[in-house]
């Protein structure tokens, strides 16, 4: 757990894996894998250089629902005029007053812990303790995505992490996109371990809904998608139900990365993996006694082509959280397109008493 970066592991349509870890294949296949790994490392290096050289603060617009802490208004991180990330280093008093410094970052569909590299660096600079997890069959987790059939399976790295926390410790969870369903699942089963739950343009569904329902406007109904989508993967053969799906790279660019830097897009293109279908097609069972008592916050992305602002607004209207924040100019991946704005909001939420 806590892996930040990964090399891509591909699943083909019959469920087999091809990866430099498993060996085999002819010379041309090994050369292709070597070239892909080199491209991945080059993209990652360029992305890190870009992060280190960028000093521009992106700015954000936030809207609050519910009570806030007066301490936030006196903290320099709330000042949008700050331009140097090094100025955002928090005082010892700020850290001492937090309920928890631990933030657990949960990626969305197809991604892995690697996508949070900018957010991890910024949080660490601020004195926080971030951990990014690879969900089952994601990032560098070696399980075949075709065999990940339930939300319980998919969320196991997160639930294992929460289960192993010391009795008196809590964490802040951040779930991106369909990773929001994993956060909801964790709230239902480990509510006493979670200080706050943040849904980052996430699938904050209500009881009885499935994560896929959130994307129905873009992808069509679940039934239609299962019958007609050209992105489906049949890991157990064409005669059996689909086990996953994978967008074409050009479509991913338009849906997920319409405002992201080219270097981060290059990193994503060589790192994303197929998406297990079972977890996002599963109806969630969420109770008022457990999930309902959790402190939920939602971060909306206002230039999002994968989950439109209207859909995100509908989610918070139908399942109101404690607070809502908005990031102007962000696509579906604010950890790439607006990392400073996202960082500012995460710290704001951490300070809410």
């Amino acid at each position: 757990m806590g892996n930040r970066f990964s090399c891509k592991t591909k699943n083909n349509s019959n469920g087999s894996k091809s990866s430099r870890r498993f060996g085999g294949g002819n010379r041309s296949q090994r050369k292709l894998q070597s070239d892909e790994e080199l491209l991945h490392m080059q993209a990652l290096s360029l992305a890190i250089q870009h992060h280190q050289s960028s000093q521009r603060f992106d700015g954000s617009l936030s809207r609050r629902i519910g009570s806030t802490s007066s301490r936030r208004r006196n903290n320099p991180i709330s000042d949008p005029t700050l331009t140097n990330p090094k100025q955002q280093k928090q005082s010892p008093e700020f850290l001492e007053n937090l309920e928890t410094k631990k933030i657990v970052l949960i990626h969305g569909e197809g991604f892995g812990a690697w996508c949070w590299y900018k957010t991890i660096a910024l949080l660490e600079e601020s004195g926080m303790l971030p951990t990014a997890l690879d969900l089952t069959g994601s990032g560098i987790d070696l399980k075949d995505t075709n065999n990940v059939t339930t939300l319980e399976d998919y969320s196991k790295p997160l639930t294992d992490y929460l289960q192993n926390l010391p009795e008196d410790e809590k964490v802040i969870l951040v779930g991106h996109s369909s990773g929001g369903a994993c956060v909801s699942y964790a709230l239902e089963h480990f509510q006493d371990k979670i200080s706050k739950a943040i849904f980052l343009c996430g699938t904050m569904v209500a009881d009885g809904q499935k994560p896929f329902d959130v994307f129905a406007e873009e992808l069509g109904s679940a039934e239609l998608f299962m019958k007609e989508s050209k992105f489906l993967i049949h890991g157990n053969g064409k005669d059996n139900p689909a086990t996953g799906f994978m967008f074409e790279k050009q479509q991913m660019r338009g849906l997920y990365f319409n405002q992201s830097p080219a270097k981060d897009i290059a990193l994503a293109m060589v790192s994303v993996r197929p998406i297990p279908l079972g977890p996002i097609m599963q109806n969630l069972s969420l109770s008022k006694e457990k999930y309902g008592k959790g402190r939920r916050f939602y971060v909306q992305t206002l230039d999002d082509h994968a989950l439109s602002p209207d859909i995100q607004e509908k989610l918070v209207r139908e399942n109101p959280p404690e607070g809502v924040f908005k990031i102007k100019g962000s696509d579906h991946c604010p950890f790439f397109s607006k990392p400073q704005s996202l960082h500012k909001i995460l710290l704001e939420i951490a300070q809410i008493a």
Side-chain angles (χ1 to χ4, degrees):
M1 64 178 63
N3 297 307
R4 300 182 189 177
F5 310 110
S6 69
C7 291
K8 182 179 179 184
T9 302
K10 287 187 177 178
N11 292 1
N12 62 25
S13 60
N14 63 10
S16 63
K17 295 183 180 180
S18 63
S19 168
R20 63 184 178 88
R21 291 184 174 85
F22 296 100
N26 57 35
R27 182 176 300 176
S28 62
Q29 289 175 323
R30 289 195 297 271
K31 184 178 186 303
L32 180 62
Q33 291 165 355
S34 177
D35 291 345
E36 183 176 83
E37 181 182 355
L38 177 61
L39 177 59
H40 176 204
M41 297 307 295
Q42 289 174 336
L44 179 57
S45 175
L46 288 170
I48 293 173
Q49 290 175 19
H50 170 76
H51 167 63
Q52 291 174 337
S53 64
S54 175
Q55 300 294 314
R56 183 174 64 86
F57 188 78
D58 294 312
S60 68
L61 168 69
S62 65
R63 174 167 59 87
R64 181 84 65 193
I65 298 175
S67 62
T68 63
S69 168
S70 60
R71 183 170 63 248
R72 177 181 63 83
R73 292 191 293 271
N74 297 325
N75 195 285
I77 196 62
S78 298
D79 183 0
T81 63
L82 291 179
T83 57
N84 190 336
K86 292 182 180 179
Q87 290 178 280
Q88 298 175 17
K89 186 76 174 180
Q90 300 303 301
S91 66
E93 182 182 357
F94 162 82
L95 297 174
E96 289 173 3
N97 290 334
L98 292 180
E99 181 181 15
T100 180
K101 293 188 290 183
K102 292 186 175 181
I103 296 184
V104 180
L105 305 167
I106 306 300
H107 62 81
E109 63 282 356
F111 291 82
W114 53 267
C115 71
W116 297 104
Y117 79 95
K118 292 180 181 179
T119 301
I120 289 170
L122 290 168
L123 288 171
E124 287 179 343
E125 287 173 4
S126 297
M128 303 296 284
L129 301 174
T131 298
L133 302 178
D134 284 318
L135 297 174
T136 306
S138 305
I140 62 172
D141 183 274
L142 297 181
K143 186 164 184 177
D144 187 345
T145 53
N146 293 302
N147 297 326
V148 183
T149 58
T150 67
L151 190 59
E152 181 181 5
D153 291 341
Y154 191 50
S155 304
K156 193 173 187 305
L158 172 58
T159 55
D160 284 351
Y161 177 92
L162 294 173
Q163 197 164 16
N164 291 325
L165 277 176
E167 187 174 344
D168 58 343
E169 283 194 15
K170 291 188 176 185
V171 299
I172 297 171
L173 294 187
V174 182
H176 171 242
S177 198
S178 64
C182 300
V183 171
S184 295
Y185 181 85
L187 274 174
E188 179 65 21
H189 294 87
F190 296 93
Q191 192 270 330
D192 59 329
K193 295 288 187 182
I194 301 168
S195 170
K196 300 180 182 77
I198 302 172
F199 295 80
L200 178 59
C201 50
T203 52
M204 190 177 66
V205 296
D207 177 47
Q209 289 185 309
K210 56 174 70 73
F212 185 88
D213 292 341
V214 176
F215 298 98
E217 183 174 301
E218 177 66 34
L219 301 176
S221 68
E223 294 76 15
L224 186 65
F225 182 81
M226 293 294 287
K227 288 180 180 179
E228 300 182 1
S229 176
K230 63 181 179 179
F231 306 116
L232 292 176
I233 297 171
H234 292 265
N236 298 321
K238 282 288 186 180
D239 295 332
N240 293 308
T243 55
F245 70 99
M246 184 77 171
F247 290 120
E248 294 175 349
K249 290 186 177 181
Q250 195 58 39
Q251 185 168 23
M252 281 203 75
R253 287 174 182 268
L255 287 175
Y256 287 77
F257 309 121
N258 50 293
Q259 295 294 341
S260 293
K263 302 176 186 67
D264 291 324
I265 298 174
L267 172 63
M269 290 297 98
V270 297
S271 302
V272 292
R273 290 179 60 183
I275 303 157
L277 201 54
I280 66 170
M281 292 297 182
Q282 180 178 326
N283 293 322
L284 271 71
S285 178
L286 304 172
S287 67
K288 293 181 180 179
E289 295 76 20
K290 296 178 181 178
Y291 170 85
K293 291 182 178 179
R295 300 187 67 185
R296 292 178 291 114
F297 299 83
Y298 199 95
V299 181
Q300 297 178 338
T301 43
L302 299 187
D303 198 7
D304 194 325
H305 291 179
L307 198 63
S308 72
D310 288 343
I311 294 176
Q312 294 182 50
E313 190 64 36
K314 181 181 178 183
L315 287 175
V316 301
R317 186 171 61 248
E318 294 180 348
N319 189 16
E322 180 177 331
V324 176
F325 295 79
K326 299 182 179 183
I327 304 180
K328 297 184 294 184
S330 175
D331 56 22
H332 196 58
C333 298
F335 39 75
F336 289 156
S337 60
K338 291 290 182 180
Q340 292 284 357
S341 297
L342 173 60
H343 174 64
K344 174 179 178 287
I345 288 173
L346 293 181
L347 290 187
E348 283 189 75
I349 295 174
Q351 294 175 75
I352 298 174

